[in-house]
Amino acid sequence: MLNGPELPEAIRLDNGLTVIHKALPTPVITVDVWLPAGAIVEPEGCDGVAHFLEHLIFKGTERLAPGDFDQLVEAGGGLTNAGTSYDYVHYYCCAAEGQLPQLLAGLAELLLAASIPDHEFERERQVVLEEIRQYEDDPDTVALAALWAAVYGKHPYGRPILGSVESLEAQSSESMRQFHRSHYRPEQMTLVIAGEIGRDRALELAEQCFGEGRSVPKVMAAQAGDAVAIAPSAKPKPPLVSTELGGIHRHAIKLPTVEQPRLMLAWPGPGIDQAETAVGLELLTVILCGGRLARLVQDLREQQRWVQDIDCDYSLLREGGLFTLTAWLDEENLERVEDRIRHHLRELASQPISGRELERAQRLLNNDFAFSLETSEQWADLLGYHQVVATLPLALAYPQQVLQWTPDALQALAQRYLSPEHYTAMVLLPEGKD
Amino acid sequence: MTETLASPASTDQLPQRRVLANGIVVLVKPNPTADIIAARLFMRGGSGWETAEDAGLTNLLAALLTRGTEKFSSLEIAEQVESVGAGLGTDSATDYMLLSLKTVSADFASLLKLAGEILRSPSFPESELELERKLILQNIRSQREQPMAIAFESLRQLMYGDHPYALPGLGTEESVAKLDQAQLRAYHQRHFRPDNLVISIAGRIDIDEAIAHIESVFGDWVAPSEPLAQLTLPAVSTQPSRIQQEQPTHQAILMLGYLGATVSDPGYASMKVINAYLGNGMSSRLFVELREKQGLAYEVSTFYPTRLEVAPFGAYMGTSPENAAKALKGLHYEVKRLCDAPLSDEEVEATRKKMLGQYLLGKQTNAQVAQVYGWYETLGLGLDFDDAFQAQLEQVNAADIQETAAKYLQKPFVSLVGPQEVLTELESVELA
């Protein structure tokens, strides 16, 4: 593991585009374009714009009709998709080598020259509203969104990535084009090319498709006013988490379709600038919930049998992270389960875990890491994410960081971040059943 | 190019196959790229053998396998797996039960040994049985939170009637409440034998090494003298009908189902083309017509799993209540259209290429490779099933597709979930 894979370099083309090439013995090649234009750059009142634009990008350009690119990719045997998060948005294609020149040219065209026709804008808004409705019918998603909103308040991390009916109704095709012009320039993009393809060939393709001399329409120049309207720095962001708030903050939501109540507890933690600390918190998620031997699973599910399941997660974002515990349980167990969780947190803070427990958690995380780097798509994901949200070297530093933690250091970490007296609690209950 | 995409299924890249003296079939696909190994151990059987009374038995058995053996307690089994950071899981399906392993290469032998103990000598401890029963009952209730799952569950019951494929894999609250140790033991006795086992491995290991490990764990397991039980399933004799279920949801779920071709049916390849054409990807017909052109849905798709028996074909979408009637008519129109008019040659060709590409995309990880070939072997389809299927696919033309559509996709079973007002409105929508 330690003399593992080699870190590729990030190469800057003349037009500002960053290219990362990763040679792999995989016949499926992935091209993946990353941009820091996630929900975090949305102006106030424009919730969901970053994700909506991700949909609209596929609506074509002056030269590509809507659907042309999808047809080009899929009829050639490849696939394409995209994803929007708080800190980034990315667009990728997986295909065989022979298909690459066409696909990459198409992808570049979509990203740099999206035209966002008015009628496509209206129709796609309906699609996103359907997406919102679908998520509203999923209790776990609803509860998680409510939890994030409760913790992060007015900071962008407290917003729904999909936005709301109101925020989307407030947009126009022109406001979307403006958002696109401001955030989708070559100098803001990182292109990862991973798979069985040589470095020279990869760079040549990147230059052809994204470079100044590309055979597709020129990038639209930014217009006066764009920067002011969109730049997130125009106004300081609200603080990530209000620090003066202490104690336990309780929230409850009720939904008519809920069969199994949930208890969710959350603690804010460090962001990507303290990636090593985040890895420590990830180790604690394994100690608590990673497997049948983990403390909370063993106690609450296996021994007491008070929960159907219990899960723990550390979501790492650029500006901060969230440590979340979720239990699926019957309503009458809510109180005693929360008490037991607090008991276990006190224990983590008051005595070091055993060397055996630590080693188990380390091996699990490092094995999972090894198993998450089998395909070119996974590699592109890892490299693109780190280049855009963190730093590229961090991409492969993970196994080493996992091994650096000691029982004493983890105890100190639990003391610092996982207070049994200060957290946010969210309960999800069936409507009209109490 | 597509030529490149089709090649991984060619014979030089198939896994090696050996049959041990006791009947175990071993498949090995070496891949030295990373220091990891994925294995899938398939035991034929599965929920296809269940009745309404013992529905969920295979699922319960799979869950209990890792919860106690003659030598080890639940905790000791977890200790062996988790202390090396490996993955060992069990699962059940219609036609088989599955044990999955993922390890770094150095730990493979010890994990395989544990897998052997789990498959050969499970003890089904009472206390663990009660815990799993409780967890499964909670899980059955949780399923009702997902409108898509509710619609699908009901659709399957409508379509399959008295046939075991109608039964939910988790079982029902009534059946799971009554399952006991004796049933688990009898099931194990009947199905768990070496000549019913397929072991499929992919990763940093070669065939001789794999065989040596497997021989040392399973070599002394003797197949019973009585022949393997053969499953004879009743014919499916249902007629298309409709079910509507009231749920206070934001979207209405619309699902159309049809009894489709078995894997050995001449219409199988055509039906796979229909499935890919209608529901697979952003260039698929339903996606383009109902989502891109009309904005009626976020999720709209089809399913057609490969089955030895009559396979379900379905088309479904979630849509807002005010659009539900229009969407239901549109969804049905797109399926019906295939019975009434042929696709263009270009459409057939584009769909074929899309499907060929997906065979490559679906076999990228060691786990995927072990799963796909192990599954082919388990179902008796042959390791060269991809090649054979691709040859079939080359022969399919627009006329075959229309003929298959006309045979299977005439009148749908219909499953609808949503608020009462929508359901009332949809009652008047005729799908003839």
Coordinates of all heavy atoms in Angstrom, one line a residue, chain B residues 160-237:
Chain B
Y160 N -47.4 -12.5 -11.3 CA -47.1 -13.9 -11.1 C -48.1 -14.7 -10.4 O -48.0 -16.0 -10.3 CB -45.7 -14.0 -10.5 CG -44.6 -13.7 -11.5 CD1 -44.0 -12.4 -11.6 CD2 -44.2 -14.6 -12.4 CE1 -43.0 -12.1 -12.5 CE2 -43.2 -14.4 -13.4 CZ -42.6 -13.1 -13.4 OH -41.7 -12.8 -14.3
G161 N -49.1 -14.1 -9.7 CA -50.1 -14.9 -9.1 C -49.6 -15.9 -8.1 O -49.0 -15.6 -7.1
D162 N -49.9 -17.2 -8.5 CA -49.5 -18.3 -7.6 C -48.0 -18.8 -7.8 O -47.6 -19.7 -7.1 CB -50.4 -19.5 -7.8 CG -51.8 -19.2 -7.5 OD1 -52.0 -18.4 -6.6 OD2 -52.7 -19.9 -8.0
H163 N -47.4 -18.2 -8.8 CA -46.0 -18.7 -9.1 C -45.1 -18.1 -8.0 O -45.3 -17.0 -7.5 CB -45.7 -18.1 -10.5 CG -44.4 -18.6 -11.0 ND1 -43.2 -18.1 -10.7 CD2 -44.1 -19.6 -12.0 CE1 -42.2 -18.7 -11.4 NE2 -42.8 -19.6 -12.1
P164 N -44.0 -18.8 -7.6 CA -43.1 -18.3 -6.6 C -42.4 -17.0 -6.9 O -42.0 -16.3 -6.0 CB -42.0 -19.4 -6.5 CG -42.5 -20.6 -7.3 CD -43.6 -20.2 -8.1
Y165 N -42.3 -16.6 -8.2 CA -41.7 -15.3 -8.5 C -42.6 -14.2 -8.0 O -42.1 -13.0 -8.0 CB -41.6 -15.2 -10.0 CG -40.4 -15.9 -10.6 CD1 -39.6 -16.8 -9.9 CD2 -40.0 -15.6 -11.9 CE1 -38.5 -17.4 -10.5 CE2 -38.9 -16.2 -12.5 CZ -38.1 -17.1 -11.8 OH -37.1 -17.8 -12.4
A166 N -43.8 -14.5 -7.5 CA -44.7 -13.4 -7.0 C -44.3 -13.1 -5.6 O -44.6 -12.0 -5.1 CB -46.1 -13.9 -7.0
L167 N -43.5 -14.0 -4.9 CA -43.3 -13.8 -3.5 C -42.1 -12.8 -3.3 O -41.2 -12.7 -4.0 CB -42.8 -15.1 -2.9 CG -43.9 -16.2 -3.0 CD1 -43.2 -17.6 -2.6 CD2 -45.1 -15.9 -2.1
P168 N -42.3 -11.9 -2.2 CA -41.2 -11.0 -1.9 C -40.0 -11.7 -1.4 O -40.2 -12.6 -0.5 CB -41.8 -10.0 -0.9 CG -43.0 -10.8 -0.3 CD -43.4 -11.8 -1.3
G169 N -38.8 -11.4 -1.8 CA -37.6 -12.0 -1.3 C -37.4 -12.0 0.2 O -36.9 -12.9 0.8
L170 N -37.9 -10.9 0.8 CA -37.8 -10.7 2.3 C -38.8 -11.6 3.0 O -38.6 -11.8 4.2 CB -38.0 -9.3 2.7 CG -37.0 -8.2 2.4 CD1 -37.5 -6.8 2.7 CD2 -35.7 -8.5 3.1
G171 N -39.8 -12.1 2.3 CA -40.9 -12.8 2.9 C -42.0 -11.8 3.3 O -41.9 -10.6 3.0
T172 N -43.0 -12.3 3.9 CA -44.1 -11.5 4.4 C -44.1 -11.4 5.9 O -43.4 -12.3 6.5 CB -45.5 -12.0 3.9 OG1 -45.6 -13.3 4.5 CG2 -45.6 -12.1 2.4
E173 N -44.8 -10.5 6.5 CA -44.8 -10.5 8.0 C -45.3 -11.8 8.5 O -44.8 -12.3 9.5 CB -45.6 -9.3 8.4 CG -44.9 -8.0 8.2 CD -45.7 -6.8 8.8 OE1 -46.5 -6.3 8.1 OE2 -45.4 -6.3 9.9
E174 N -46.3 -12.4 7.9 CA -46.9 -13.6 8.4 C -45.9 -14.8 8.2 O -45.7 -15.6 9.2 CB -48.1 -14.0 7.6 CG -49.3 -13.0 7.6 CD -49.0 -11.7 6.8 OE1 -48.5 -11.9 5.7 OE2 -49.1 -10.6 7.3
S175 N -45.2 -14.9 7.1 CA -44.3 -16.0 6.9 C -43.1 -15.9 7.7 O -42.6 -16.9 8.4 CB -44.0 -16.2 5.4 OG -43.2 -15.1 5.0
V176 N -42.5 -14.7 7.8 CA -41.2 -14.6 8.6 C -41.5 -14.8 10.1 O -40.6 -15.4 10.8 CB -40.6 -13.1 8.3 CG1 -39.5 -12.9 9.3 CG2 -40.2 -13.0 6.9
A177 N -42.7 -14.4 10.6 CA -43.0 -14.6 12.0 C -42.9 -16.1 12.3 O -42.6 -16.5 13.5 CB -44.3 -14.1 12.3
K178 N -43.1 -17.0 11.4 CA -43.2 -18.5 11.7 C -42.0 -19.3 11.3 O -41.9 -20.5 11.7 CB -44.4 -19.0 10.9 CG -45.8 -18.6 11.5 CD -46.9 -19.4 11.0 CE -48.2 -18.6 10.8 NZ -48.7 -18.6 9.4
L179 N -41.1 -18.7 10.5 CA -39.9 -19.5 10.1 C -39.1 -20.1 11.3 O -38.9 -19.3 12.3 CB -39.0 -18.7 9.2 CG -39.6 -18.3 7.9 CD1 -38.7 -17.3 7.2 CD2 -39.9 -19.5 7.0
D180 N -38.7 -21.3 11.2 CA -37.9 -21.9 12.4 C -36.7 -22.6 12.0 O -36.4 -22.8 10.8 CB -38.9 -22.7 13.2 CG -39.3 -24.0 12.5 OD1 -38.7 -24.4 11.5 OD2 -40.4 -24.5 12.8
Q181 N -35.9 -23.0 13.0 CA -34.7 -23.7 12.8 C -34.8 -25.0 12.0 O -33.9 -25.3 11.2 CB -34.1 -24.1 14.2 CG -32.9 -23.4 14.6 CD -32.4 -23.9 16.0 OE1 -32.9 -24.7 16.6 NE2 -31.2 -23.3 16.4
A182 N -35.8 -25.7 12.2 CA -36.0 -27.0 11.5 C -36.1 -26.7 10.0 O -35.5 -27.4 9.2 CB -37.3 -27.7 12.0
Q183 N -36.8 -25.7 9.6 CA -36.9 -25.3 8.2 C -35.5 -24.9 7.6 O -35.2 -25.3 6.5 CB -37.9 -24.2 8.0 CG -39.3 -24.6 8.1 CD -40.2 -23.4 8.2 OE1 -40.2 -22.6 9.2 NE2 -41.1 -23.2 7.2
L184 N -34.8 -24.2 8.4 CA -33.5 -23.7 8.0 C -32.6 -24.9 7.8 O -31.8 -25.0 6.8 CB -32.9 -22.8 9.0 CG -33.5 -21.4 9.1 CD1 -33.2 -20.7 10.5 CD2 -33.1 -20.5 8.0
R185 N -32.6 -25.9 8.7 CA -31.7 -27.1 8.6 C -32.1 -27.9 7.4 O -31.2 -28.4 6.7 CB -31.9 -27.9 9.9 CG -31.4 -27.2 11.1 CD -30.5 -28.2 12.0 NE -29.8 -27.4 13.0 CZ -30.3 -27.1 14.2 NH1 -31.5 -27.5 14.5 NH2 -29.6 -26.4 15.0
A186 N -33.4 -28.0 7.2 CA -33.9 -28.8 6.0 C -33.4 -28.2 4.7 O -33.0 -28.9 3.8 CB -35.4 -29.0 6.1
Y187 N -33.6 -26.9 4.7 CA -33.2 -26.2 3.4 C -31.7 -26.3 3.2 O -31.2 -26.6 2.1 CB -33.5 -24.7 3.6 CG -33.3 -23.8 2.3 CD1 -34.4 -23.5 1.5 CD2 -32.0 -23.4 2.0 CE1 -34.2 -22.7 0.4 CE2 -31.8 -22.7 0.8 CZ -32.9 -22.3 0.1 OH -32.7 -21.6 -1.1
H188 N -30.9 -26.2 4.3 CA -29.5 -26.3 4.1 C -29.1 -27.7 3.7 O -28.3 -27.9 2.8 CB -28.8 -26.0 5.5 CG -27.3 -26.1 5.4 ND1 -26.6 -27.2 5.8 CD2 -26.4 -25.2 5.0 CE1 -25.3 -26.9 5.7 NE2 -25.1 -25.7 5.1
Q189 N -29.7 -28.7 4.3 CA -29.4 -30.1 4.0 C -29.7 -30.4 2.5 O -29.0 -31.1 1.8 CB -30.4 -31.0 4.8 CG -30.4 -32.4 4.6 CD -29.3 -33.1 5.4 OE1 -28.9 -32.5 6.4 NE2 -28.8 -34.3 5.0
R190 N -30.7 -29.8 2.0 CA -31.2 -30.1 0.6 C -30.3 -29.4 -0.4 O -30.0 -30.0 -1.4 CB -32.6 -29.6 0.5 CG -33.3 -29.9 -0.8 CD -34.7 -29.4 -0.8 NE -35.5 -30.0 -1.8 CZ -36.7 -29.7 -2.1 NH1 -37.3 -28.7 -1.4 NH2 -37.4 -30.3 -3.1
H191 N -30.0 -28.1 -0.2 CA -29.3 -27.4 -1.3 C -27.8 -27.2 -1.1 O -27.2 -27.0 -2.1 CB -30.0 -25.9 -1.3 CG -31.4 -25.9 -1.7 ND1 -31.8 -26.2 -3.0 CD2 -32.5 -25.7 -1.0 CE1 -33.1 -26.1 -3.1 NE2 -33.6 -25.8 -1.9
F192 N -27.4 -27.2 0.1 CA -25.9 -27.0 0.3 C -25.1 -28.2 0.1 O -24.9 -29.0 1.1 CB -25.7 -26.3 1.7 CG -26.1 -24.9 1.7 CD1 -27.3 -24.4 1.3 CD2 -25.1 -23.9 2.1 CE1 -27.7 -23.1 1.4 CE2 -25.4 -22.6 2.1 CZ -26.7 -22.1 1.8
R193 N -24.6 -28.4 -1.1 CA -23.8 -29.6 -1.4 C -22.8 -29.2 -2.5 O -23.1 -28.3 -3.2 CB -24.7 -30.8 -1.7 CG -25.9 -30.4 -2.5 CD -26.9 -31.6 -2.7 NE -26.4 -32.5 -3.7 CZ -27.0 -33.7 -4.0 NH1 -28.1 -34.0 -3.3 NH2 -26.5 -34.5 -4.9
P194 N -21.7 -29.9 -2.5 CA -20.6 -29.4 -3.4 C -21.0 -29.4 -4.9 O -20.6 -28.5 -5.6 CB -19.5 -30.4 -3.2 CG -20.1 -31.5 -2.5 CD -21.2 -31.0 -1.7
D195 N -21.9 -30.3 -5.3 CA -22.2 -30.3 -6.7 C -23.3 -29.3 -7.0 O -23.8 -29.3 -8.2 CB -22.7 -31.8 -7.1 CG -23.7 -32.3 -6.2 OD1 -24.0 -31.7 -5.1 OD2 -24.3 -33.4 -6.5
N196 N -23.6 -28.4 -6.1 CA -24.5 -27.3 -6.3 C -23.8 -26.0 -6.2 O -24.5 -25.0 -6.2 CB -25.7 -27.4 -5.3 CG -27.0 -27.1 -5.9 OD1 -27.2 -27.0 -7.1 ND2 -28.0 -27.0 -5.0
L197 N -22.5 -26.0 -6.1 CA -21.7 -24.8 -5.7 C -20.9 -24.4 -6.9 O -20.2 -25.2 -7.6 CB -20.8 -25.1 -4.5 CG -19.9 -24.1 -4.0 CD1 -20.6 -22.8 -3.6 CD2 -19.0 -24.6 -2.9
V198 N -20.9 -23.1 -7.2 CA -20.0 -22.5 -8.1 C -19.2 -21.4 -7.4 O -19.7 -20.6 -6.7 CB -20.8 -21.7 -9.2 CG1 -19.9 -21.0 -10.2 CG2 -21.7 -22.7 -10.0
I199 N -17.8 -21.5 -7.6 CA -16.9 -20.5 -7.0 C -16.3 -19.7 -8.1 O -15.5 -20.3 -8.9 CB -15.9 -21.2 -6.1 CG1 -16.6 -22.0 -5.0 CG2 -14.9 -20.2 -5.4 CD1 -15.6 -22.8 -4.0
S200 N -16.5 -18.4 -8.1 CA -16.0 -17.6 -9.1 C -15.1 -16.5 -8.5 O -15.5 -15.8 -7.6 CB -17.2 -16.9 -9.9 OG -16.7 -16.1 -10.9
I201 N -13.8 -16.5 -9.1 CA -12.8 -15.6 -8.4 C -12.2 -14.7 -9.5 O -11.9 -15.1 -10.6 CB -11.7 -16.5 -7.8 CG1 -12.3 -17.4 -6.8 CG2 -10.6 -15.6 -7.1 CD1 -11.3 -18.5 -6.2
A202 N -11.9 -13.5 -9.1 CA -11.2 -12.5 -10.0 C -10.2 -11.7 -9.1 O -10.6 -11.3 -8.0 CB -12.1 -11.6 -10.7
G203 N -9.0 -11.5 -9.6 CA -8.1 -10.7 -8.9 C -6.6 -11.3 -9.0 O -6.3 -12.0 -9.9
R204 N -5.8 -10.9 -8.1 CA -4.4 -11.3 -8.1 C -4.2 -12.7 -7.6 O -3.8 -13.0 -6.5 CB -3.5 -10.3 -7.3 CG -2.0 -10.5 -7.6 CD -1.2 -9.5 -6.9 NE -1.2 -8.2 -7.6 CZ -0.5 -7.2 -7.1 NH1 0.2 -7.2 -6.0 NH2 -0.5 -6.0 -7.8
I205 N -4.5 -13.7 -8.5 CA -4.4 -15.1 -8.1 C -4.5 -15.9 -9.4 O -5.2 -15.4 -10.4 CB -5.6 -15.5 -7.2 CG1 -5.4 -16.9 -6.6 CG2 -6.9 -15.4 -7.9 CD1 -6.3 -17.2 -5.4
D206 N -3.8 -17.0 -9.5 CA -3.9 -17.8 -10.7 C -4.7 -19.1 -10.4 O -5.0 -19.4 -9.3 CB -2.6 -18.1 -11.4 CG -1.7 -19.0 -10.5 OD1 -2.2 -19.8 -9.8 OD2 -0.5 -18.8 -10.5
I207 N -5.1 -19.8 -11.5 CA -6.0 -20.9 -11.3 C -5.4 -22.0 -10.4 O -6.2 -22.6 -9.6 CB -6.4 -21.5 -12.7 CG1 -7.4 -22.7 -12.6 CG2 -5.2 -22.0 -13.5 CD1 -8.8 -22.4 -12.7
D208 N -4.2 -22.3 -10.5 CA -3.6 -23.4 -9.7 C -3.6 -23.0 -8.2 O -3.9 -23.9 -7.3 CB -2.2 -23.7 -10.1 CG -2.2 -24.3 -11.6 OD1 -3.2 -25.0 -11.9 OD2 -1.2 -24.0 -12.3
E209 N -3.3 -21.8 -7.9 CA -3.3 -21.3 -6.6 C -4.7 -21.4 -6.0 O -4.9 -21.8 -4.9 CB -2.8 -19.9 -6.6 CG -2.0 -19.4 -5.4 CD -1.7 -17.9 -5.6 OE1 -1.6 -17.4 -6.8 OE2 -1.6 -17.2 -4.6
A210 N -5.6 -20.9 -6.8 CA -7.0 -20.9 -6.4 C -7.5 -22.3 -6.1 O -8.2 -22.6 -5.1 CB -7.9 -20.2 -7.5
I211 N -7.2 -23.2 -7.0 CA -7.7 -24.6 -6.9 C -7.1 -25.2 -5.6 O -7.8 -25.9 -4.8 CB -7.3 -25.5 -8.1 CG1 -8.0 -25.0 -9.4 CG2 -7.5 -27.0 -7.9 CD1 -9.4 -25.5 -9.5
A212 N -5.8 -24.9 -5.3 CA -5.2 -25.5 -4.2 C -5.9 -25.0 -2.9 O -6.2 -25.8 -2.0 CB -3.7 -25.1 -4.1
H213 N -6.2 -23.7 -2.8 CA -7.0 -23.2 -1.7 C -8.3 -23.9 -1.6 O -8.8 -24.3 -0.5 CB -7.1 -21.7 -1.8 CG -5.9 -20.9 -1.6 ND1 -4.9 -21.2 -0.6 CD2 -5.4 -19.8 -2.3 CE1 -3.9 -20.3 -0.7 NE2 -4.2 -19.5 -1.8
I214 N -9.0 -24.0 -2.7 CA -10.4 -24.5 -2.6 C -10.4 -26.0 -2.3 O -11.2 -26.4 -1.5 CB -11.1 -24.3 -4.0 CG1 -11.3 -22.8 -4.2 CG2 -12.4 -25.0 -4.1 CD1 -11.7 -22.4 -5.6
E215 N -9.4 -26.7 -2.8 CA -9.3 -28.1 -2.5 C -9.1 -28.3 -1.0 O -9.7 -29.2 -0.3 CB -8.1 -28.8 -3.2 CG -8.4 -29.1 -4.7 CD -9.2 -30.4 -4.8 OE1 -9.7 -30.9 -3.8 OE2 -9.4 -30.8 -6.0
S216 N -8.3 -27.5 -0.4 CA -8.0 -27.7 1.0 C -9.2 -27.3 1.9 O -9.3 -27.8 3.0 CB -6.7 -26.9 1.5 OG -7.1 -25.5 1.7
V217 N -10.0 -26.5 1.4 CA -11.2 -26.1 2.2 C -12.4 -27.0 1.9 O -13.2 -27.4 2.8 CB -11.6 -24.6 2.0 CG1 -12.9 -24.2 2.6 CG2 -10.5 -23.7 2.4
F218 N -12.6 -27.3 0.6 CA -13.9 -28.0 0.2 C -13.6 -29.4 -0.3 O -14.6 -30.1 -0.6 CB -14.6 -27.1 -0.9 CG -15.1 -25.8 -0.4 CD1 -14.4 -24.6 -0.7 CD2 -16.3 -25.7 0.2 CE1 -14.9 -23.4 -0.3 CE2 -16.8 -24.5 0.6 CZ -16.1 -23.3 0.4
G219 N -12.3 -29.7 -0.5 CA -12.0 -31.0 -1.2 C -12.6 -32.2 -0.5 O -13.0 -33.2 -1.2
D220 N -12.7 -32.2 0.8 CA -13.3 -33.4 1.5 C -14.8 -33.4 1.7 O -15.4 -34.2 2.4 CB -12.6 -33.6 2.9 CG -12.9 -32.4 3.8 OD1 -13.4 -31.4 3.3 OD2 -12.6 -32.5 5.0
W221 N -15.4 -32.4 1.0 CA -16.9 -32.3 1.1 C -17.5 -33.3 0.1 O -17.3 -33.1 -1.1 CB -17.3 -30.9 0.9 CG -18.7 -30.6 1.3 CD1 -19.6 -31.3 2.0 CD2 -19.4 -29.3 1.0 NE1 -20.8 -30.7 2.1 CE2 -20.7 -29.5 1.6 CE3 -19.1 -28.2 0.3 CZ2 -21.7 -28.4 1.5 CZ3 -20.0 -27.2 0.2 CH2 -21.3 -27.3 0.8
V222 N -18.2 -34.3 0.5 CA -18.7 -35.3 -0.4 C -20.1 -35.0 -0.8 O -20.9 -34.8 0.1 CB -18.6 -36.7 0.2 CG1 -19.1 -37.8 -0.8 CG2 -17.1 -37.0 0.6
A223 N -20.4 -35.1 -2.1 CA -21.8 -34.9 -2.5 C -22.6 -36.1 -2.1 O -22.2 -37.2 -2.2 CB -21.8 -34.7 -4.0
P224 N -23.8 -35.8 -1.5 CA -24.7 -36.9 -1.2 C -25.1 -37.8 -2.4 O -25.0 -37.3 -3.5 CB -26.0 -36.2 -0.6 CG -25.6 -34.8 -0.4 CD -24.4 -34.5 -1.3
S225 N -25.4 -39.1 -2.1 CA -25.7 -40.0 -3.2 C -27.0 -39.6 -3.9 O -27.2 -39.9 -5.1 CB -25.7 -41.4 -2.8 OG -26.5 -41.5 -1.7
E226 N -28.0 -39.1 -3.2 CA -29.3 -38.8 -3.9 C -29.1 -37.7 -4.8 O -28.3 -36.8 -4.6 CB -30.4 -38.5 -2.9 CG -30.3 -37.3 -2.1 CD -29.6 -37.5 -0.7 OE1 -28.8 -38.5 -0.6 OE2 -29.9 -36.8 0.2
P227 N -29.8 -37.7 -5.9 CA -29.6 -36.7 -7.0 C -30.1 -35.4 -6.5 O -30.9 -35.3 -5.6 CB -30.4 -37.2 -8.2 CG -31.4 -38.2 -7.6 CD -30.8 -38.8 -6.3
L228 N -29.5 -34.3 -7.1 CA -30.0 -33.0 -6.8 C -31.5 -32.8 -7.1 O -32.0 -33.3 -8.1 CB -29.2 -32.0 -7.6 CG -27.9 -31.5 -7.1 CD1 -27.2 -30.7 -8.2 CD2 -28.1 -30.5 -5.9
A229 N -32.2 -32.1 -6.1 CA -33.6 -31.9 -6.3 C -33.8 -31.0 -7.5 O -33.0 -30.0 -7.7 CB -34.2 -31.3 -5.1
Q230 N -34.7 -31.3 -8.4 CA -35.0 -30.4 -9.5 C -36.3 -29.6 -9.2 O -37.2 -30.1 -8.7 CB -35.2 -31.3 -10.8 CG -34.0 -32.0 -11.2 CD -32.8 -31.2 -11.5 OE1 -33.0 -30.1 -12.2 NE2 -31.6 -31.6 -11.1
L231 N -36.2 -28.4 -9.6 CA -37.4 -27.5 -9.3 C -38.3 -27.5 -10.5 O -37.9 -27.2 -11.6 CB -36.8 -26.0 -9.1 CG -37.9 -25.0 -8.8 CD1 -38.6 -25.3 -7.5 CD2 -37.2 -23.6 -8.7
T232 N -39.6 -27.8 -10.3 CA -40.5 -27.7 -11.4 C -41.5 -26.6 -10.9 O -42.2 -26.8 -9.9 CB -41.3 -29.0 -11.7 OG1 -41.5 -29.6 -10.4 CG2 -40.5 -29.8 -12.6
L233 N -41.6 -25.5 -11.7 CA -42.4 -24.4 -11.3 C -43.7 -24.5 -12.1 O -43.7 -24.9 -13.3 CB -41.7 -23.1 -11.6 CG -40.5 -22.8 -10.6 CD1 -39.8 -21.6 -11.1 CD2 -41.0 -22.7 -9.2
P234 N -44.8 -24.0 -11.5 CA -46.1 -24.0 -12.2 C -46.0 -23.0 -13.4 O -45.2 -22.0 -13.3 CB -47.1 -23.6 -11.2 CG -46.3 -22.8 -10.2 CD -44.9 -23.5 -10.2
A235 N -46.8 -23.1 -14.4 CA -46.9 -22.1 -15.4 C -47.5 -20.9 -14.8 O -48.3 -20.9 -13.9 CB -47.7 -22.6 -16.6
V236 N -47.1 -19.7 -15.4 CA -47.8 -18.5 -15.0 C -49.1 -18.3 -15.8 O -49.1 -18.4 -17.0 CB -46.8 -17.3 -15.3 CG1 -47.5 -16.0 -14.9 CG2 -45.5 -17.5 -14.6
S237 N -50.2 -18.2 -15.0 CA -51.5 -18.2 -15.7 C -52.3 -17.0 -15.4 O -53.5 -17.0 -15.4 CB -52.2 -19.5 -15.3 OG -52.4 -19.4 -13.9

